[in-house]
């Protein structure tokens, strides 16, 4: 069984408005700056605030994480966040852990996704301040003892040390929600921008049941020059986002929820241009990697694979010349990650779905559970994704 292209699913990006975090420091830095109170916490009995502060060295870029055990059950009807200079985004993930099984209570360096385990996204903040309130009856429920993974992406652009801080408020709902909210976190792993060249990343993601969307946000890094997203069905195409802004794009908060029916697809694309002379692929660094994401808040909540665009028939759309089988053979013989990514993006349109389904299967059944890492998943893939492999072998590039 051929191996798959290692998938960079660090899921570190910007976005809407929803959970918490801040912080980042050198691994050997034992000093923790004092919080400055950038965000007034909820009054007693009305919610909680989570915050984190760390020092950044001049020019430092890093992702910092912490697992947080919630002391009490929460039904959240509104989120509010703020962060200082030096913060690029904050994300709060839901996790499968409990207070008894949480890996660590300490801050840890989670660059490139190291040490991160999650099963959903609760909130993302990609601008210095933001808030989001749900209609009556809609919200996020957290059990007492639930564990939230906080991730912050920090970048100090100055020549001096910098204290970076982020905080997020969870406001209690008056009544428990009858509809659970969810967060779209649609991440395209099929990006390769050639040195001094251009590239367009495209992705399609299925909606498995009727949903109501209340906010949307684009996300690219510094080579991004244009972003477009739409919702398509057999009978319509609804424009969602269209922007040239890559740095701190403001989330679009809809005055009335947008209802999308079963079978609708989110389709989005990112155009890139490199002027640095460096080939880049998808990854966490704002300057050295790229991203193409659609992030949004909606209800009722979909399952994990649809929130992450990992369901069958969903994933990157390519326009190359290779069949799925040719791309997998190319990936297996590639000498480095960039060469492997070139194999993937050279897949033809008619074979894109077969390649996506195979790679998504290996990620979900082998990599995400921790059975293996991307380059070492041949045995697990053979045992767990044989049907997807056979469909890949049979896929063509049309007549």
């Amino acid at each position: 069984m051929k191996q798959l292209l290692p998938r960079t699913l660090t899921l570190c990006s910007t976005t809407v408005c929803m959970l918490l975090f801040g912080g980042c420091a050198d691994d050997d830095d034992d000093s923790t700056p004092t919080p400055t109170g950038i965000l007034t916490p909820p009054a007693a009995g009305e919610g909680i605030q989570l915050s984190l502060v760390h020092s950044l060295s001049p020019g430092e870029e890093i992702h910092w994480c912490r697992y947080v055990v919630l002391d009490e059950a929460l039904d959240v009807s509104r989120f509010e966040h703020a962060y200082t200079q030096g913060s690029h985004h904050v994300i709060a993930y839901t996790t499968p852990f409990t207070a008894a099984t949480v890996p660590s209570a300490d801050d840890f360096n989670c660059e490139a996704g190291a040490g991160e385990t999650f099963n959903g996204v609760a909130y993302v903040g990609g601008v210095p301040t933001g808030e989001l309130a749900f209609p009556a009856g809609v919200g996020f429920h957290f059990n007492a003892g639930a564990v939230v993974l906080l991730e912050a992406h920090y970048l100090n652009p100055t020549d001096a040390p910098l204290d970076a801080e982020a905080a997020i408020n969870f406001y209690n709902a008056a009544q428990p929600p009858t509809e659970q909210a969810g967060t779209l976190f649609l991440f395209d792993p099929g990006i390769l921008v050639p040195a001094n060249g251009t590239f367009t990343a495209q992705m399609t993601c299925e909606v498995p049941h009727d949903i109501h969307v209340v906010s949307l946000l684009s996300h690219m890094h510094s080579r991004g020059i244009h972003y477009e997203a739409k919702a398509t069905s057999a009978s319509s195409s609804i424009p969602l986002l269209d922007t040239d802004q890559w740095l701190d794009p403001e989330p679009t908060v809809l005055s009335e929820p947008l209802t999308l029916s079963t079978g609708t697809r989110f389709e989005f694309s990112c155009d890139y241009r490199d002027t640095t002379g460096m080939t880049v692929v998808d990854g966490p660094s704002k300057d050295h990697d790229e991203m193409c994401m659609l992030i949004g808040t909606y209800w009722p909540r979909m399952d994990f694979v649809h929130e992450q665009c990992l369901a069958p028939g969903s994933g990157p759309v390519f326009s190359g010349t290779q069949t799925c089988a040719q791309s997998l053979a190319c990936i297996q013989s590639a000498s480095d990650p960039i060469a492997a990514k070139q194999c993937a993006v050279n897949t033809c349109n008619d074979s894109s779905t077969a390649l996506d389904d195979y790679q998504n299967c290996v990620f979900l059944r082998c990599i995400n559970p921790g059975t293996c890492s991307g380059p070492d998943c041949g045995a697990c893939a053979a045992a767990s994704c044989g049907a997807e492999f056979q469909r890949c072998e049979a896929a063509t590039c049309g007549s």
Side-chain angles (χ1 to χ4, degrees):
M1 179 73 72
K2 299 179 177 69
Q3 297 174 356
L4 83 165
L5 174 69
R7 178 173 182 143
T8 305
L9 199 62
T10 311
L11 294 192
C12 46
S13 158
T14 159
T15 174
V16 201
C17 51
M18 255 172 95
L19 248 174
L20 23 97
F21 196 84
C24 165
D26 294 332
D27 289 340
D28 58 356
D29 182 5
D30 295 328
S31 63
T32 301
T34 301
T36 60
I38 59 171
L39 183 66
T40 302
E46 294 184 2
I48 64 170
Q49 180 180 102
L50 300 181
S51 66
L52 191 63
V53 188
H54 276 279
S55 295
L56 301 176
S57 301
E60 182 179 17
E61 181 178 15
I62 192 171
H63 290 77
W64 211 250
C65 287
R66 177 196 292 174
Y67 290 105
V68 178
V69 180
L70 301 181
D71 294 332
E72 59 187 39
L74 292 173
D75 288 307
V76 180
S77 62
R78 182 164 71 96
F79 293 96
E80 181 183 25
H81 81 272
Y83 57 67
T84 61
Q85 182 186 15
S87 304
H88 181 55
H89 72 249
V90 298
I91 303 174
Y93 302 97
T94 60
T95 79
F97 298 121
T98 65
T101 61
V102 63
S104 171
D106 298 326
D107 303 349
F108 62 95
N109 183 333
C110 54
E111 197 69 22
E116 295 183 275
T117 298
F118 58 90
N119 58 12
V121 178
Y123 179 77
V124 193
V127 290
T129 61
E131 67 174 303
L132 182 67
F134 297 105
V138 178
F140 275 84
H141 174 78
F142 299 89
N143 292 326
V147 177
V148 175
L149 171 64
L150 307 178
E151 176 198 290
H153 181 183
Y154 290 99
L155 176 64
N156 179 3
T158 73
D159 296 327
L162 181 68
D163 291 344
E165 178 180 357
I168 176 128
N169 292 339
F170 300 58
Y171 287 95
N172 291 331
Q175 299 291 333
T178 57
E179 293 278 14
Q180 292 298 312
T183 301
L184 298 169
F185 209 63
L186 312 180
F187 172 94
D188 190 337
I191 301 173
L192 187 143
V193 186
N196 298 315
T198 62
F199 183 79
T200 296
Q202 301 179 75
M203 198 167 198
T204 179
C205 307
E206 180 191 49
V207 175
H209 58 68
D210 293 1
I211 61 173
H212 310 287
V213 180
V214 71
S215 69
L216 292 163
L217 182 68
S218 63
H219 183 61
M220 302 183 291
H221 286 171
S222 59
R223 290 163 181 79
I225 58 175
H226 185 71
Y227 180 100
E228 185 175 355
K230 57 187 176 181
T232 65
S233 67
S235 59
S236 67
S237 179
I238 303 171
L240 299 176
L241 297 172
D242 192 323
T243 181
D244 296 336
Q245 177 65 32
W246 74 268
L247 181 63
D248 296 336
E250 287 290 339
T252 296
V253 179
L254 306 176
S255 57
E256 294 291 336
L258 173 65
T259 299
L260 301 177
S261 60
T262 303
T264 300
R265 303 189 74 86
F266 290 106
E267 297 184 354
F268 61 100
S269 63
C270 298
D271 295 331
Y272 305 101
R273 177 180 294 116
D274 177 71
T275 59
T276 68
M278 178 174 63
T279 299
V280 301
V281 298
D282 46 279
S285 173
K286 182 179 72 68
D287 292 327
H288 304 299
D289 302 307
E290 264 306 332
M291 282 193 174
C292 185
M293 296 188 68
L294 175 62
I295 303 161
T297 306
Y298 72 97
W299 68 88
R301 189 172 183 182
M302 303 185 293
D303 57 20
F304 174 77
V305 296
H306 285 91
E307 282 197 337
Q308 306 287 327
C309 199
L310 296 169
S314 296
V317 178
F318 301 120
S319 57
T321 60
Q322 295 180 155
T323 67
C324 184
Q326 290 170 333
S327 292
L328 283 182
C330 179
I331 290 167
Q332 188 175 29
S333 63
S335 58
D336 57 65
I338 289 180
K341 187 70 67 171
Q342 181 62 62
C343 297
V345 303
N346 197 30
T347 305
C348 66
N349 184 274
D350 288 345
S351 278
S352 290
T353 297
L355 182 64
D356 292 338
D357 288 352
Y358 175 67
Q359 295 204 104
N360 288 346
C361 176
V362 179
F363 176 77
L364 290 167
R365 298 179 188 175
C366 300
I367 298 175
N368 200 44
T371 304
C372 58
S373 63
D376 305 312
C377 284
C380 181
S384 303
C385 301
E388 290 79 5
F389 176 76
Q390 292 300 323
R391 287 195 290 272
C392 176
E393 291 288 292
T396 67
C397 290
S399 56

